[in-house]
Amino acid sequence: MGKTKSIFTIIAILSLLLLAACGNNKSGEVEKEKGTNSNAAGKNYTVEHAMGKTTIKGTPKRVVILTNEGTEALLALGIKPVGAVQSWTGNPWYDHIKDKMKNVKVVGTEDQVNVEAIAKLHPDLIIGNKMRQEKIYDQLSAIAPTVFAETLRGDWKENFSLYAKAVNQEAKGKEVIQQFNQRIADIKKKLGDKTNMKVSLLRFMSGDVRIYHKDTFAGVILDQLGFARAKGQDADDFAERNLTKERIPAMDGDILFYFTYDTGDGGASSLEKEYINDPLFKNLKVAKAGNVHKVNDVIWNTAGGVIAANLMLDDIEKIFLHK
């Protein structure tokens, strides 16, 4: 009888140990599942944007960005996106950001987004732009919380502030803007009366020549530095487009910057040479004074983000202060 009791006792102890082991294993699996959810930590927050309001769970870890200037914003905030639209020029990224974009997946272009490619990346936040991608907002929102900026023109800081809020990095965002504003103030002080020079901005594209006004990436930065603008260019709108050679006199100023958007077909570069070498252009006061400067289209216009803005300030310093 004593032996039988001992056997039952041993069986009971072994059963309890087995149940405990199973319980520990089950608990471990639950913890592992929780660990895979990048949004498990952190509080929910709501972002108001061009398409309404979006609630984001925790701090996003896998962000897809659908504008070039937005890509620069994320990089400046210390965030490498898991997916991004291809740069307008470059293979696939602009030269000035390519070292920071290694292993980032291409998800189409700003005006032709690849929704399938985005879904495969399992993002926890998508950032886009109403001006570019309004038609696919609902599709994107079905994949992950989606935040859209309103437009792409003018001051990069407006969109940047929205992006910083969307990725839960408002404090860092304010710091980046404060540093840029301080740099503007410092350069403006060094420039002194040089800002009295009337600046002309010109862009060559395939089949199109434009004079850029103040509501442009470069125009806003020049305005922040306090530069005067050439006659007819001191307007708070975008640009005068499709200029014929008869409008070459309108390009004159004390100093002229021009940039060429060349996609590889040679059309824009050919147009640039045609206009720059035209007798009417050579007869401009600014050309005779030797104050015509070709600058990088990506930096002065196309990229449109905070990194490019700082590189444009580098150019201003070199041209005006380090001659």
Side-chain angles (χ1 to χ4, degrees), residues 68-248:
N68 284 274
E69 46 89 45
T71 298
E72 293 200 5
L74 293 186
L75 294 176
L77 291 167
I79 298 169
K80 179 189 279 192
V82 293
V85 288
Q86 183 173 339
S87 298
W88 288 114
T89 57
N91 188 26
W93 315 115
Y94 295 132
D95 286 344
H96 68 284
I97 62 167
K98 65 182 180 182
D99 290 344
K100 299 173 184 173
M101 294 292 284
K102 290 176 181 176
N103 301 319
V104 176
K105 300 294 182 185
V106 175
V107 292
T109 60
E110 282 190 16
D111 53 4
Q112 197 167 356
V113 172
N114 187 330
V115 177
E116 265 186 41
I118 293 172
K120 287 178 182 177
L121 292 173
H122 304 290
D124 44 28
L125 175 65
I126 300 168
I127 299 174
N129 189 278
K130 183 178 179 181
M131 183 176 166
R132 291 276 193 253
Q133 299 117 13
E134 182 177 10
K135 290 181 180 178
I136 59 169
Y137 178 78
D138 290 341
Q139 288 177 264
L140 296 172
S141 295
I143 297 170
T146 302
V147 171
F148 270 15
E150 183 74 35
T151 186
L152 284 167
R153 293 175 184 163
D155 193 348
W156 60 268
K157 286 182 281 188
E158 293 178 17
N159 286 358
F160 182 88
S161 296
L162 174 66
Y163 304 152
K165 187 172 184 179
V167 296
N168 208 15
Q169 294 283 349
E170 281 190 271
K172 175 67 175 175
K174 288 176 182 177
E175 182 184 328
V176 170
I177 290 176
Q178 185 177 7
Q179 288 172 350
F180 182 82
N181 289 343
Q182 186 59 55
R183 194 175 176 202
I184 286 280
D186 292 343
I187 294 173
K188 186 175 182 178
K189 186 176 180 180
K190 291 175 185 176
L191 286 167
D193 60 6
K194 289 184 173 69
T195 58
N196 292 329
M197 297 179 73
K198 294 178 180 178
V199 178
S200 180
L201 279 181
L202 183 63
R203 191 187 193 204
F204 295 100
M205 305 172 71
S206 185
D208 191 5
V209 180
R210 300 177 177 180
I211 289 176
Y212 273 21
H213 296 166
K214 292 171 71 175
D215 190 24
T216 56
F217 180 71
V220 166
I221 293 173
L222 289 170
D223 191 52
Q224 289 170 346
L225 288 167
F227 276 103
R229 292 299 303 273
K231 184 179 179 181
Q233 298 185 31
D234 193 23
D236 294 321
D237 57 9
F238 179 56
E240 182 181 352
R241 312 180 194 214
N242 301 309
L243 296 174
T244 61
K245 288 184 180 178
E246 285 74 19
R247 289 293 292 155
I248 287 178

